[in-house]
Short mmCIF file of all heavy atoms in Angstrom, two decimals:
data_model
loop_
_atom_site.label_atom_id
_atom_site.label_comp_id
_atom_site.label_asym_id
_atom_site.label_seq_id
_atom_site.Cartn_x
_atom_site.Cartn_y
_atom_site.Cartn_z
N SER A 52 26.72 2.31 -23.67
CA SER A 52 25.88 1.86 -24.79
C SER A 52 24.39 1.92 -24.45
O SER A 52 23.55 1.90 -25.34
CB SER A 52 26.25 0.45 -25.20
OG SER A 52 26.04 -0.47 -24.14
N ALA A 53 24.05 2.01 -23.17
CA ALA A 53 22.63 2.11 -22.78
C ALA A 53 21.99 3.40 -23.28
O ALA A 53 20.78 3.48 -23.41
CB ALA A 53 22.50 2.01 -21.27
N HIS A 54 22.82 4.40 -23.57
CA HIS A 54 22.31 5.68 -24.06
C HIS A 54 22.08 5.67 -25.56
O HIS A 54 21.58 6.63 -26.11
CB HIS A 54 23.26 6.82 -23.69
CG HIS A 54 23.44 6.99 -22.21
ND1 HIS A 54 22.40 7.11 -21.33
CD2 HIS A 54 24.56 7.06 -21.46
CE1 HIS A 54 22.86 7.25 -20.11
NE2 HIS A 54 24.17 7.22 -20.15
N GLY A 55 22.45 4.62 -26.22
CA GLY A 55 22.26 4.51 -27.65
C GLY A 55 23.52 4.92 -28.40
O GLY A 55 24.55 5.22 -27.81
N THR A 56 23.40 4.95 -29.70
CA THR A 56 24.54 5.35 -30.54
C THR A 56 24.80 6.84 -30.35
O THR A 56 23.96 7.57 -29.81
CB THR A 56 24.24 5.09 -32.02
OG1 THR A 56 23.11 5.90 -32.41
CG2 THR A 56 23.93 3.62 -32.28
N PHE A 57 25.94 7.32 -30.81
CA PHE A 57 26.28 8.73 -30.65
C PHE A 57 25.24 9.65 -31.30
O PHE A 57 24.81 10.62 -30.67
CB PHE A 57 27.69 9.01 -31.19
CG PHE A 57 28.23 10.33 -30.74
CD1 PHE A 57 28.66 10.52 -29.44
CD2 PHE A 57 28.29 11.40 -31.62
CE1 PHE A 57 29.15 11.75 -29.01
CE2 PHE A 57 28.78 12.63 -31.21
CZ PHE A 57 29.21 12.79 -29.90
N PRO A 58 24.77 9.36 -32.52
CA PRO A 58 23.72 10.21 -33.10
C PRO A 58 22.42 10.18 -32.29
O PRO A 58 21.77 11.21 -32.13
CB PRO A 58 23.51 9.62 -34.50
CG PRO A 58 24.78 8.92 -34.82
CD PRO A 58 25.27 8.38 -33.50
N THR A 59 22.06 9.02 -31.76
CA THR A 59 20.85 8.92 -30.94
C THR A 59 21.02 9.70 -29.65
O THR A 59 20.10 10.42 -29.22
CB THR A 59 20.53 7.44 -30.63
OG1 THR A 59 20.36 6.74 -31.87
CG2 THR A 59 19.29 7.30 -29.79
N LEU A 60 22.17 9.57 -29.03
CA LEU A 60 22.46 10.31 -27.81
C LEU A 60 22.37 11.81 -28.07
O LEU A 60 21.73 12.55 -27.30
CB LEU A 60 23.86 9.95 -27.29
CG LEU A 60 24.38 10.79 -26.13
CD1 LEU A 60 23.50 10.63 -24.89
CD2 LEU A 60 25.82 10.42 -25.82
N ASN A 61 22.97 12.27 -29.15
CA ASN A 61 22.91 13.70 -29.47
C ASN A 61 21.48 14.17 -29.71
O ASN A 61 21.12 15.28 -29.30
CB ASN A 61 23.78 14.02 -30.68
CG ASN A 61 25.20 14.33 -30.28
OD1 ASN A 61 25.44 14.87 -29.20
ND2 ASN A 61 26.14 14.00 -31.13
N ALA A 62 20.67 13.35 -30.34
CA ALA A 62 19.26 13.71 -30.56
C ALA A 62 18.52 13.83 -29.23
O ALA A 62 17.73 14.76 -29.04
CB ALA A 62 18.59 12.68 -31.46
N ARG A 63 18.78 12.91 -28.32
CA ARG A 63 18.13 12.96 -27.00
C ARG A 63 18.60 14.18 -26.22
O ARG A 63 17.80 14.86 -25.57
CB ARG A 63 18.42 11.68 -26.23
CG ARG A 63 17.66 10.49 -26.76
CD ARG A 63 17.92 9.25 -25.94
NE ARG A 63 17.00 8.20 -26.32
CZ ARG A 63 17.36 6.98 -26.63
NH1 ARG A 63 18.64 6.63 -26.58
NH2 ARG A 63 16.46 6.08 -26.97
N LEU A 64 19.89 14.46 -26.26
CA LEU A 64 20.42 15.64 -25.57
C LEU A 64 19.83 16.92 -26.16
O LEU A 64 19.50 17.86 -25.42
CB LEU A 64 21.94 15.67 -25.64
CG LEU A 64 22.66 14.58 -24.84
CD1 LEU A 64 24.16 14.62 -25.12
CD2 LEU A 64 22.37 14.68 -23.35
N LYS A 65 19.65 16.94 -27.47
CA LYS A 65 19.06 18.11 -28.12
C LYS A 65 17.63 18.34 -27.61
O LYS A 65 17.24 19.48 -27.33
CB LYS A 65 19.05 17.93 -29.64
CG LYS A 65 18.50 19.11 -30.40
CD LYS A 65 18.55 18.88 -31.90
CE LYS A 65 17.92 20.08 -32.60
NZ LYS A 65 17.85 19.89 -34.05
N LYS A 66 16.87 17.26 -27.44
CA LYS A 66 15.50 17.39 -26.91
C LYS A 66 15.51 17.89 -25.47
O LYS A 66 14.66 18.68 -25.08
CB LYS A 66 14.77 16.05 -27.01
CG LYS A 66 14.38 15.69 -28.41
CD LYS A 66 13.64 14.37 -28.46
CE LYS A 66 13.31 14.00 -29.89
NZ LYS A 66 12.60 12.72 -29.98
N LEU A 67 16.49 17.43 -24.68
CA LEU A 67 16.59 17.89 -23.30
C LEU A 67 16.96 19.38 -23.25
O LEU A 67 16.46 20.12 -22.41
CB LEU A 67 17.61 17.06 -22.51
CG LEU A 67 17.18 15.62 -22.20
CD1 LEU A 67 18.34 14.84 -21.58
CD2 LEU A 67 15.97 15.60 -21.28
N VAL A 68 17.82 19.81 -24.18
CA VAL A 68 18.17 21.23 -24.26
C VAL A 68 16.95 22.04 -24.68
O VAL A 68 16.62 23.06 -24.06
CB VAL A 68 19.34 21.47 -25.25
CG1 VAL A 68 19.53 22.95 -25.54
CG2 VAL A 68 20.63 20.87 -24.70
N GLU A 69 16.26 21.59 -25.72
CA GLU A 69 15.07 22.31 -26.22
C GLU A 69 13.97 22.37 -25.17
O GLU A 69 13.21 23.33 -25.13
CB GLU A 69 14.55 21.65 -27.49
CG GLU A 69 15.47 21.84 -28.69
CD GLU A 69 15.08 20.99 -29.89
OE1 GLU A 69 14.19 20.11 -29.77
OE2 GLU A 69 15.70 21.19 -30.95
N GLY A 70 13.89 21.34 -24.32
CA GLY A 70 12.88 21.32 -23.26
C GLY A 70 13.27 22.14 -22.04
O GLY A 70 12.49 22.27 -21.10
N GLY A 71 14.49 22.68 -22.07
CA GLY A 71 14.94 23.50 -20.95
C GLY A 71 15.45 22.71 -19.76
O GLY A 71 15.61 23.25 -18.67
N TRP A 72 15.74 21.42 -19.97
CA TRP A 72 16.20 20.56 -18.87
C TRP A 72 17.70 20.66 -18.63
O TRP A 72 18.16 20.56 -17.50
CB TRP A 72 15.83 19.10 -19.16
CG TRP A 72 14.38 18.85 -19.22
CD1 TRP A 72 13.62 18.66 -20.36
CD2 TRP A 72 13.47 18.79 -18.14
NE1 TRP A 72 12.32 18.48 -20.03
CE2 TRP A 72 12.18 18.55 -18.67
CE3 TRP A 72 13.61 18.90 -16.75
CZ2 TRP A 72 11.05 18.43 -17.87
CZ3 TRP A 72 12.49 18.79 -15.96
CH2 TRP A 72 11.22 18.55 -16.52
N ILE A 73 18.47 20.84 -19.71
CA ILE A 73 19.93 20.90 -19.58
C ILE A 73 20.47 22.02 -20.46
O ILE A 73 19.77 22.54 -21.33
CB ILE A 73 20.62 19.57 -19.97
CG1 ILE A 73 20.40 19.24 -21.46
CG2 ILE A 73 20.19 18.43 -19.06
CD1 ILE A 73 21.24 18.08 -21.97
N GLU A 74 21.74 22.35 -20.20
CA GLU A 74 22.46 23.29 -21.04
C GLU A 74 23.75 22.63 -21.51
O GLU A 74 24.36 21.85 -20.78
CB GLU A 74 22.84 24.55 -20.24
CG GLU A 74 21.66 25.38 -19.82
CD GLU A 74 22.08 26.58 -18.98
OE1 GLU A 74 23.21 26.58 -18.45
OE2 GLU A 74 21.26 27.49 -18.86
N ARG A 75 24.12 22.94 -22.73
CA ARG A 75 25.40 22.49 -23.29
C ARG A 75 26.32 23.69 -23.28
O ARG A 75 25.97 24.75 -23.80
CB ARG A 75 25.21 21.99 -24.71
CG ARG A 75 24.31 20.78 -24.82
CD ARG A 75 24.03 20.46 -26.27
NE ARG A 75 25.22 19.88 -26.87
CZ ARG A 75 25.24 18.70 -27.50
NH1 ARG A 75 24.12 18.03 -27.64
NH2 ARG A 75 26.35 18.23 -28.00
N LYS A 76 27.49 23.53 -22.68
CA LYS A 76 28.46 24.62 -22.59
C LYS A 76 29.80 24.15 -23.13
O LYS A 76 30.20 23.01 -22.90
CB LYS A 76 28.61 25.08 -21.14
CG LYS A 76 27.33 25.65 -20.56
CD LYS A 76 27.55 26.19 -19.19
CE LYS A 76 26.27 26.83 -18.70
NZ LYS A 76 26.43 27.45 -17.40
N ASP A 77 30.47 25.06 -23.82
CA ASP A 77 31.81 24.74 -24.31
C ASP A 77 32.75 24.57 -23.12
O ASP A 77 32.69 25.34 -22.16
CB ASP A 77 32.33 25.84 -25.24
CG ASP A 77 31.57 25.91 -26.54
OD1 ASP A 77 31.03 24.87 -26.97
OD2 ASP A 77 31.50 27.00 -27.13
N ASP A 78 33.58 23.58 -23.19
CA ASP A 78 34.58 23.33 -22.15
C ASP A 78 35.74 24.29 -22.38
O ASP A 78 36.40 24.23 -23.41
CB ASP A 78 35.05 21.88 -22.22
CG ASP A 78 35.98 21.49 -21.10
OD1 ASP A 78 36.46 22.40 -20.37
OD2 ASP A 78 36.24 20.29 -20.93
N GLU A 79 35.98 25.17 -21.43
CA GLU A 79 37.06 26.15 -21.59
C GLU A 79 38.44 25.50 -21.55
O GLU A 79 39.39 26.05 -22.09
CB GLU A 79 36.93 27.23 -20.52
CG GLU A 79 35.69 28.07 -20.71
CD GLU A 79 35.55 29.15 -19.66
OE1 GLU A 79 36.54 29.44 -18.96
OE2 GLU A 79 34.46 29.70 -19.56
N GLN A 80 38.55 24.33 -20.93
CA GLN A 80 39.83 23.64 -20.85
C GLN A 80 40.13 22.84 -22.12
O GLN A 80 41.28 22.60 -22.45
CB GLN A 80 39.86 22.70 -19.64
CG GLN A 80 39.74 23.45 -18.33
CD GLN A 80 39.60 22.52 -17.15
OE1 GLN A 80 39.50 21.31 -17.30
NE2 GLN A 80 39.59 23.09 -15.97
N ASP A 81 39.08 22.42 -22.80
CA ASP A 81 39.25 21.64 -24.03
C ASP A 81 38.17 22.10 -25.01
O ASP A 81 37.01 21.71 -24.91
CB ASP A 81 39.10 20.14 -23.73
CG ASP A 81 39.28 19.27 -24.95
OD1 ASP A 81 39.42 19.80 -26.08
OD2 ASP A 81 39.27 18.04 -24.80
N LYS A 82 38.55 22.94 -25.93
CA LYS A 82 37.59 23.56 -26.85
C LYS A 82 36.84 22.56 -27.74
O LYS A 82 35.83 22.89 -28.33
CB LYS A 82 38.30 24.60 -27.75
CG LYS A 82 38.90 25.75 -26.97
CD LYS A 82 37.83 26.57 -26.30
CE LYS A 82 38.45 27.74 -25.58
NZ LYS A 82 37.55 28.42 -24.71
N ARG A 83 37.32 21.33 -27.79
CA ARG A 83 36.64 20.31 -28.60
C ARG A 83 35.50 19.65 -27.83
O ARG A 83 34.68 18.95 -28.42
CB ARG A 83 37.63 19.23 -29.03
CG ARG A 83 38.78 19.75 -29.87
CD ARG A 83 39.85 18.71 -30.01
NE ARG A 83 40.40 18.44 -28.68
CZ ARG A 83 41.22 17.44 -28.36
NH1 ARG A 83 41.59 16.59 -29.28
NH2 ARG A 83 41.68 17.28 -27.15
N SER A 84 35.45 19.84 -26.53
CA SER A 84 34.48 19.15 -25.67
C SER A 84 33.31 20.05 -25.30
O SER A 84 33.42 21.27 -25.29
CB SER A 84 35.15 18.68 -24.38
OG SER A 84 36.11 17.70 -24.65
N VAL A 85 32.21 19.39 -24.97
CA VAL A 85 31.00 20.07 -24.52
C VAL A 85 30.65 19.53 -23.13
O VAL A 85 30.61 18.32 -22.92
CB VAL A 85 29.83 19.83 -25.49
CG1 VAL A 85 28.54 20.43 -24.96
CG2 VAL A 85 30.15 20.39 -26.87
N ILE A 86 30.40 20.46 -22.20
CA ILE A 86 30.02 20.11 -20.83
C ILE A 86 28.50 20.21 -20.73
O ILE A 86 27.88 21.12 -21.27
CB ILE A 86 30.67 21.08 -19.82
CG1 ILE A 86 32.19 21.04 -19.93
CG2 ILE A 86 30.21 20.78 -18.40
CD1 ILE A 86 32.81 19.75 -19.51
N LEU A 87 27.89 19.27 -20.00
CA LEU A 87 26.45 19.27 -19.79
C LEU A 87 26.15 19.68 -18.36
O LEU A 87 26.79 19.21 -17.42
CB LEU A 87 25.88 17.89 -20.07
CG LEU A 87 26.13 17.34 -21.47
CD1 LEU A 87 25.74 15.88 -21.54
CD2 LEU A 87 25.37 18.16 -22.49
N GLU A 88 25.15 20.55 -18.20
CA GLU A 88 24.73 20.99 -16.88
C GLU A 88 23.21 21.04 -16.83
O GLU A 88 22.56 21.31 -17.84
CB GLU A 88 25.29 22.38 -16.56
CG GLU A 88 26.80 22.40 -16.44
CD GLU A 88 27.33 23.80 -16.12
OE1 GLU A 88 26.54 24.76 -16.05
OE2 GLU A 88 28.55 23.91 -15.94
N VAL A 89 22.65 20.80 -15.65
CA VAL A 89 21.20 20.89 -15.48
C VAL A 89 20.81 22.36 -15.32
O VAL A 89 21.62 23.20 -14.95
CB VAL A 89 20.71 20.06 -14.28
CG1 VAL A 89 20.89 18.59 -14.53
CG2 VAL A 89 21.37 20.49 -12.99
N THR A 90 19.55 22.63 -15.59
CA THR A 90 19.00 23.98 -15.44
C THR A 90 18.21 24.07 -14.14
O THR A 90 17.90 23.05 -13.52
CB THR A 90 18.08 24.30 -16.62
OG1 THR A 90 16.98 23.37 -16.58
CG2 THR A 90 18.79 24.21 -17.96
N PRO A 91 17.84 25.28 -13.75
CA PRO A 91 16.98 25.43 -12.56
C PRO A 91 15.66 24.65 -12.69
O PRO A 91 15.14 24.16 -11.69
CB PRO A 91 16.74 26.94 -12.50
CG PRO A 91 17.96 27.54 -13.11
CD PRO A 91 18.32 26.58 -14.24
N LYS A 92 15.16 24.50 -13.90
CA LYS A 92 13.94 23.72 -14.13
C LYS A 92 14.12 22.29 -13.63
O LYS A 92 13.24 21.73 -12.96
CB LYS A 92 13.58 23.73 -15.62
CG LYS A 92 12.41 22.87 -15.99
CD LYS A 92 12.16 22.91 -17.49
CE LYS A 92 11.01 22.00 -17.90
NZ LYS A 92 10.69 22.11 -19.33
N THR A 93 15.25 21.69 -13.95
CA THR A 93 15.54 20.32 -13.53
C THR A 93 15.70 20.25 -12.02
O THR A 93 15.16 19.34 -11.37
CB THR A 93 16.81 19.80 -14.22
OG1 THR A 93 16.60 19.85 -15.63
CG2 THR A 93 17.13 18.38 -13.80
N ILE A 94 16.42 21.19 -11.46
CA ILE A 94 16.63 21.21 -10.01
C ILE A 94 15.29 21.34 -9.29
O ILE A 94 15.03 20.62 -8.31
CB ILE A 94 17.58 22.35 -9.62
CG1 ILE A 94 18.98 22.07 -10.20
CG2 ILE A 94 17.64 22.53 -8.10
CD1 ILE A 94 19.93 23.23 -10.14
N ASP A 95 14.41 22.20 -9.78
CA ASP A 95 13.08 22.35 -9.17
C ASP A 95 12.28 21.05 -9.24
O ASP A 95 11.62 20.66 -8.27
CB ASP A 95 12.29 23.47 -9.86
CG ASP A 95 12.83 24.85 -9.56
OD1 ASP A 95 13.62 25.00 -8.59
OD2 ASP A 95 12.45 25.79 -10.28
N ALA A 96 12.33 20.41 -10.39
CA ALA A 96 11.58 19.15 -10.56
C ALA A 96 12.10 18.07 -9.62
O ALA A 96 11.32 17.40 -8.95
CB ALA A 96 11.67 18.68 -12.01
N PHE A 97 13.41 17.91 -9.55
CA PHE A 97 13.98 16.89 -8.68
C PHE A 97 13.75 17.20 -7.21
O PHE A 97 13.52 16.31 -6.41
CB PHE A 97 15.47 16.72 -8.97
CG PHE A 97 15.77 15.95 -10.24
CD1 PHE A 97 14.77 15.57 -11.11
CD2 PHE A 97 17.07 15.63 -10.56
CE1 PHE A 97 15.04 14.86 -12.27
CE2 PHE A 97 17.37 14.92 -11.72
CZ PHE A 97 16.35 14.54 -12.57
N THR A 98 13.77 18.49 -6.85
CA THR A 98 13.49 18.89 -5.47
C THR A 98 12.05 18.56 -5.11
O THR A 98 11.77 18.05 -4.02
CB THR A 98 13.76 20.40 -5.28
OG1 THR A 98 15.13 20.66 -5.59
CG2 THR A 98 13.46 20.84 -3.87
N SER A 99 11.14 18.80 -6.03
CA SER A 99 9.74 18.49 -5.80
C SER A 99 9.52 17.00 -5.63
O SER A 99 8.77 16.56 -4.75
CB SER A 99 8.89 19.02 -6.97
OG SER A 99 7.55 18.66 -6.82
N ILE A 100 10.19 16.21 -6.46
CA ILE A 100 10.04 14.76 -6.36
C ILE A 100 10.63 14.27 -5.04
O ILE A 100 10.05 13.42 -4.36
CB ILE A 100 10.70 14.06 -7.56
CG1 ILE A 100 9.87 14.36 -8.82
CG2 ILE A 100 10.81 12.56 -7.35
CD1 ILE A 100 10.53 13.95 -10.10
N SER A 101 11.76 14.83 -4.64
CA SER A 101 12.37 14.45 -3.35
C SER A 101 11.44 14.79 -2.20
O SER A 101 11.29 14.00 -1.26
CB SER A 101 13.70 15.19 -3.16
OG SER A 101 14.65 14.73 -4.09
N SER A 102 10.80 15.94 -2.27
CA SER A 102 9.85 16.34 -1.22
C SER A 102 8.67 15.38 -1.18
O SER A 102 8.20 15.01 -0.10
CB SER A 102 9.35 17.75 -1.46
OG SER A 102 10.40 18.68 -1.35
N ALA A 103 8.21 14.96 -2.36
CA ALA A 103 7.09 14.02 -2.42
C ALA A 103 7.49 12.69 -1.80
O ALA A 103 6.69 12.04 -1.11
CB ALA A 103 6.65 13.82 -3.87
N LEU A 104 8.72 12.28 -2.00
CA LEU A 104 9.20 11.03 -1.41
C LEU A 104 9.30 11.13 0.10
O LEU A 104 8.99 10.17 0.82
CB LEU A 104 10.57 10.66 -1.99
CG LEU A 104 10.61 10.26 -3.46
CD1 LEU A 104 12.05 10.10 -3.93
CD2 LEU A 104 9.83 8.99 -3.70
N GLU A 105 9.73 12.27 0.60
CA GLU A 105 9.89 12.45 2.04
C GLU A 105 8.56 12.46 2.78
O GLU A 105 8.49 12.05 3.93
CB GLU A 105 10.65 13.75 2.33
CG GLU A 105 12.09 13.67 1.92
CD GLU A 105 12.82 15.01 2.06
OE1 GLU A 105 12.21 15.99 2.53
OE2 GLU A 105 14.01 15.05 1.69
#
Side-chain angles (χ1 to χ4, degrees):
S52 62
H54 299 308
T56 63
F57 195 74
T59 301
L60 172 63
N61 272 328
R63 287 182 170 130
L64 292 174
K65 182 179 177 184
K66 287 181 182 179
L67 290 172
V68 169
E69 290 170 351
W72 296 104
I73 64 170
E74 294 177 342
R75 297 172 74 125
K76 297 185 176 183
D77 292 333
D78 186 348
E79 293 180 15
Q80 297 173 355
D81 181 354
K82 297 295 182 191
R83 300 168 296 169
S84 295
V85 175
I86 301 293
L87 302 170
E88 295 180 357
V89 293
T90 63
K92 175 181 178 175
T93 301
I94 295 168
D95 290 345
F97 284 6
T98 300
S99 176
I100 291 169
S101 293
S102 296
L104 291 172
E105 290 173 4

